[in-house]
Each structure stands twice: as structure tokens, then as C-alpha cells.
Amino acid sequence: MEAGPPGSSRPTELGPCLSGQRGADQAASASLQSAARAQLGRHPLAVAAVLPAGGCGERMGVPTPKQFCPILERPLISYTLQALERVFWIKDIVVVVTGENMEVMKSIIQKYQHKRISLVEAGVTRHRSIFNGLKALAEDQLNCKLSKPEIVIIHDAVRPFVEEDILLKVVTAAKEHGAAGAIRPLVSTVISPSADGCLDHSLERARHRASEMPQAFLFDVIYEAYQQCSDYDLEFGTECLQLALKYCCTKAKLVEGSPDLWKVTYKRDLYAAESIVKERISQEVCVITDTKEDNKHVSHLLEEVLKSELNHVKVTSEALCHAGRDLQQIILDQCYNFVCVNVMTSDLQETQKLLSILEESHLSILYPVVVVSVHFLDFKLVPPSQKMENLMQIREFAKEVKKRNIWLCGLLISYPQDEQKLQESLRQGAIIIASLIKERNSGLVGQLLIA
Ligand SMILES: Nc1ccn([C@@H]2O[C@H](COP(=O)(O)OP(=O)(O)OP(=O)(O)O)[C@@H](O)[C@H]2O)c(=O)n1
Ligand SMILES: O=P(O)(O)OC[C@@H](O)[C@@H](O)[C@@H](O)CO
């Protein structure tokens, strides 16, 4: 059982909350969280989590177990760990992986600087893996670094979009009822086939629900259930709530969960998960300019066109010169998209300054940061060839900063004297920038695009 790297520093912010909630929902969630935090704070509940991650992902149909499949070049399991790490009152996170994947898991913990993680060896079935995780938490383990919690959360490692409020709800419910689990409406009707492969009967969909994760239990309840569990249940069971009912007569409280709780099972689920992550880290763009009047004017024009191109996206602008203060705050506020505006110049000094600031921050550890180095050039005044040589340096810079998960590309925008033609160039440029930010295609890193 290994803990995460001791003392590894971690960015103060753990990346955006990839929650499905927005606006009013978020306010409700925040007020629930503060109320529950007050409650948890008053009687500090010892809460730990067990993340079964020892499967082979057969239904995903790829050689890599799905929990290690990449989303934006980061393993799926790292997103789930990040989601749980954001919850300050979960004191230990036990990840259950196969022996052969132990080193892979350790490298993920190291690279993404996950904390509060202990690793335990998986079993041949999900229930056996979960049982191994619980054993690691029980006090009756030799040289155990973990202490037995009052409440244990069980959450599949392949359900990355779990929010604090559903965790609070199931933990609070488990404290009262002994067990609790998230549920969702059924999408398809459940039917029961007869022996000859025909319909025997169907269940009334409105009266049934899909059992999801997270689930939470009084530790003693679920640990006792697993200890009493038959080999058949350990081998073929899929429902922890049922074990609590069958072996400990504990009826779990069912808690409505959000649509994002779904389990990544098939390849399409991985594409869906990546789309959600891309959408969530494309919510803000920062246009960086210097204080020269010409730059500020064009940056403002570009900012306005970007706002119309990227609706629902917050577009801010910042001068690079006093970067020590305002830009750092924008970085801390989790902006992952930067447009560095250069007017009538193809040198890359401003862009390089921005890249250095980004490299010094932890911002790109968890998510790729997109930087577009924009160069407005009046092709009539300055033949592109004279400037292209400078701009081609972008390829080298991009290769270097890609190692720090900063995805740099260049964009040449025509800067004609004619106002109407300038507007058209700006619109073209904004369309390209919007696509670079939303699609986050690593294949375009180091490219010089022309609007
Ligand atoms: N022996 C096992 C089997 C599964 N799991 C974990 O339980 C979770 C949910 O199980 P499932 O979606 O079935 O994952 P797999 O078993 O990997 O998928 P498949 O059935 O397609 O092989 C996953 O995080 C999986 O890694 C586990 O810890 N140990
Ligand atoms: O059965 P699988 O191993 O695919 O996945 C486990 C799921 O069944 C489980 O996570 C929820 O149904 C809640 O128990």
C-alpha cells in the first residue's frame, strides 16, 4: 500500500470544478456545501473513499484499461482523483489497482501531484477489489497508514464528474441510514427475458431507477457485509447497496444524482467525457496586449469579435506589462486560454513573456493551456516573407512549451487600412481562435495559421 509522493507541492487551485451545475444550481450547491461543511466541521466525521480501479475495461475495446485511457492527454482516473481531492473533508482516498498497474498508478500520482492517495491491490472482481480497499481502511491491518473512517465513500474510478454536493448528500444520508447511493432515472425500460429468449415481462420504468455512484456507508456496516458476503456475491454481484441490505439489513437511502455521474464504459463515453472537459476549460479567454495605443485598439476590436464568436464565454483583456499582479490573478482564476496580440510586428517577445509566466505557474499541470500568438500585419506594407522567418520560430517555442502542457500556435491576421476589411479579418481570426480553444487539437500545436 503506497501513499502519494510526500510533500509534493500542489497548485493552490485544483483546476475548475467540472461540475454540471451552473448559475442558480451552483448557488444552491454552494449554500448546501457551506451548511454541510458547518455540520461536518461541528462533529468532524472521519470520511474516506475507496475507488475501485482494478478492471480491464473489456467493453471499451482497447488494450489500455479504460481508467488509464487519456482525456486531453491525461488519464481518466486522474480526473476522478482531482474531483475527490477538491473535497477537503475526505481524509483518505484508497485507489484499488491491479499489481501490474501499480507502477502506472504511482507515476500518475507523481505527475499530477495527487495527494491523500493510498494504493491497494485489486481483486478479480469489482466486489473483491472494493473489499480489499475496505480491508486497507480497517484497523486490523498490519503497519496500516490509514485509520478506520466512520463513513466510507465507494466511487468507481471511471466516474470522473462527481461533485462535492452529491458526495455530501450520500455521506450525510449514510450517517443517518447506514447506507446511501446515487440514483438516476432509467433511460431504457428494463425487461426480463424468458428461457426461450422472448419477453417474459417488463418493469414499469417510472417505478425503477438506475443505481449509480457515489455510494456511502457507515464503515462498520459495509465492512461487515463484505466479511459475511458469499463467494457467489463476491464473484457476480454488482451492487454494494444490496450487500448492505442482504447481510446487514441496512436499507440504503437513495439520492437523486446529476446527469454527469455516468460511468465511462464504452468508447463513446470517453469521447463524451473529453467533450465535457473541453467545454468546461473553454469558459474564459484572456486577450493579452501591451499598453501601446495601437495594440490596445486592435485588441479591443478583437475582444469584441471574440465575444460574439464565443458566446457564453468570458473574454477578458490584460496588459502584459503589469503581469505580476493582474495576470497572476487570471491564472489563479483558472483561465486556460490566452490570446497574445502583436500589431505590426512579428517578433515574439510579448508571447515569450507570457509563456514564461505560464510556465512558472502550476496552471498547465492538469489541463492543456492554449496560447495563440496573434500577429496583425498589413501585407501591403510588409511583405509576409519578411516576417515569416521570425514567425516560424513559433514551431520551436511550441515544441519546448508543449513539454509543460502549454499548446502554442501562431495566427497571422491581415491588418488592412480599410475598416470594413479589418472587421472581416478580425471575424476570420476570431473564428480560428474559437476553434483552437474549443477543439484543443494538439495536432495544431506549433502551426502558423492565416486568417
Ligand atoms: N476486478 C475489478 C473490476 C472492476 N473494477 C473497477 O470497478 C469500476 C466499475 O467497473 P466496470 O465499469 O465494470 O469496469 P471494468 O470491469 O474495467 O469494465 P468491463 O466490465 O468492460 O471490463 C471500474 O473503475 C473498474 O476499474 C475493479 O476495481 N476491479
Ligand atoms: O457492473 P459494472 O462493474 O459494469 O459497474 C458497476 C456498476 O454496476 C455500479 O457502479 C453501479 O451500478 C452502482 O452499484
Side-chain angles (χ1 to χ4, degrees), residues 28-39 164 168:
S29 163
S31 63
L32 175 122
Q33 288 173 24
S34 58
R37 286 184 183 189
Q39 180 187 340
E164 182 175 1
L168 274 172

Side-chain angles (χ1 to χ4, degrees), residues 151-371:
I151 303 271
V152 63
I153 293 165
I154 298 175
H155 185 71
D156 295 326
V158 291
R159 294 174 187 264
F161 305 117
V162 60
E163 305 158 33
E164 182 175 1
D165 69 322
I166 188 65
L167 290 164
L168 274 172
K169 285 177 184 172
V170 294
V171 162
T172 309
K175 187 180 169 199
E176 184 183 344
H177 299 269
I183 57 172
R184 287 285 306 156
L186 286 172
V187 173
S188 303
T189 301
V190 176
I191 60 167
S192 182
S194 58
D196 59 1
C198 294
L199 175 66
D200 182 78
H201 66 278
S202 79
L203 296 182
E204 196 183 330
R205 195 171 70 183
R207 289 166 46 82
H208 293 83
R209 288 287 182 275
S211 174
E212 304 293 350
M213 289 276 177
Q215 296 177 347
F217 304 83
L218 286 176
F219 183 84
D220 293 341
V221 165
I222 193 67
Y223 192 50
E224 175 65 20
Y226 271 97
Q227 287 174 304
Q228 300 299 327
C229 199
S230 67
D231 280 342
Y232 182 85
D233 279 338
L234 282 176
E235 204 61 30
F236 302 106
T238 62
E239 185 47 76
C240 308
L241 302 180
Q242 174 62 17
L243 301 185
L245 177 62
K246 182 173 178 181
Y247 295 102
C248 294
C249 305
T250 300
K251 277 193 170 186
K253 180 71 179 170
L254 304 178
V255 180
E256 286 292 336
S258 76
D260 286 348
L261 281 180
W262 97 96
K263 179 164 65 76
V264 172
T265 302
Y266 301 100
K267 196 174 276 188
R268 66 170 184 261
D269 297 320
L270 216 48
Y271 298 145
E274 182 156 278
S275 296
I276 287 176
V277 172
K278 283 181 178 179
E279 182 194 359
R280 303 263 158 86
I281 59 175
S282 307
Q283 296 302 307
E284 181 176 357
V285 188
C286 181
V287 178
I288 301 287
T289 179
D290 61 23
T291 51
K292 289 179 203 128
E293 279 317 307
D294 208 10
N295 278 16
K296 282 170 73 175
H297 171 63
V298 176
S299 297
H300 179 69
L301 292 176
L302 179 60
E303 193 182 324
E304 289 311 306
V305 177
L306 266 177
K307 280 176 182 171
S308 62
E309 209 47 54
L310 282 166
N311 42 19
H312 308 311
V313 171
K314 182 182 170 189
V315 182
T316 55
S317 64
E318 203 44 63
L320 196 55
C321 60
H322 40 78
R325 192 179 59 256
D326 305 331
L327 187 56
Q328 289 300 351
Q329 190 51 51
I330 285 172
I331 288 170
L332 280 177
D333 290 346
Q334 310 295 312
C335 174
Y336 290 90
N337 312 289
F338 295 86
V339 176
C340 194
V341 176
N342 304 275
V343 180
M344 295 308 281
T345 170
S346 60
D347 71 36
L348 295 163
Q349 283 161 7
E350 291 299 289
T351 302
Q352 281 178 284
K353 263 192 244 171
L354 172 64
L355 293 173
S356 306
I357 293 167
L358 291 172
E359 283 191 287
E360 283 157 23
S361 78
H362 287 286
L363 183 64
S364 58
I365 285 185
L366 294 176
Y367 300 99
V369 175
V370 166
V371 176

